[in-house]
Amino acid sequence: MADQYLFMIVEPDWDSDAYAGEGAGEQIAAEFPEFEAFERRVAELGARIVAGNALHNRRHGGIVRPGPDGREVEDALWTDGASLESDEVISGYYVIEAESEEIARQLAPLVPTGGHIEWRRVFPMG
């Protein structure tokens, strides 16, 4: 049975708003051909991309820390944007199904990034 691996793309934040609107997928494919090359390599190694997406710029999200008295919204501490402790963010991810950790290790350095990849085997929950 194949395991799933999460590959988180960690790199400097990007201007996702520049790619908003109709035709964004085609524009990204044209400007970043390494993603298509990565998808081909996944297939060549007998693995399968289960999910994957780019994430918007940190302006379109934030951080929340649950309050000390529970998980109520009004008790939470909210911060706009990603962690200010780093200039890098998780800009996207892939979930890949592979027959072995060896295949996952071969794929990890091939994930296109301007930073680094953090990868982990997904813990099966059911």
Side-chain angles (χ1 to χ4, degrees):
M1 179 178 183
D3 287 317
Q4 290 186 354
Y5 296 86
L6 173 65
F7 295 82
M8 293 172 280
I9 302 168
V10 183
E11 58 191 355
D13 211 355
W14 68 301
D15 185 9
S16 60
D17 294 340
Y19 296 93
E22 195 172 320
E26 293 81 17
Q27 182 182 1
I28 289 172
E31 290 185 29
F32 303 101
E34 60 270 23
F35 287 101
E36 188 175 314
F38 173 70
E39 291 171 7
R40 279 194 309 273
R41 188 68 179 130
V42 168
E44 288 169 4
L45 288 172
R48 181 174 73 93
I49 296 173
V50 176
N53 263 309
L55 301 177
H56 268 283
N57 180 285
R58 71 174 74 191
R59 291 187 303 272
H60 299 284
I63 297 171
V64 62
R65 287 182 172 74
D69 297 325
R71 305 237 176 237
E72 300 298 322
V73 171
E74 59 271 4
D75 294 331
L77 175 62
W78 294 86
T79 305
D80 290 337
S83 174
L84 300 176
E85 298 168 6
S86 173
D87 64 346
E88 293 185 320
V89 297
I90 297 173
S91 66
Y93 67 92
Y94 284 102
V95 177
I96 295 177
E97 194 171 78
E99 290 296 326
S100 69
E101 185 174 314
E102 174 62 31
I103 292 173
R105 285 181 173 277
Q106 289 179 43
L107 290 171
L110 302 177
V111 177
T113 183
H116 66 274
I117 302 302
E118 184 172 336
W119 68 282
R120 302 217 187 113
R121 192 171 94 198
V122 175
F123 188 87
M125 293 293 289

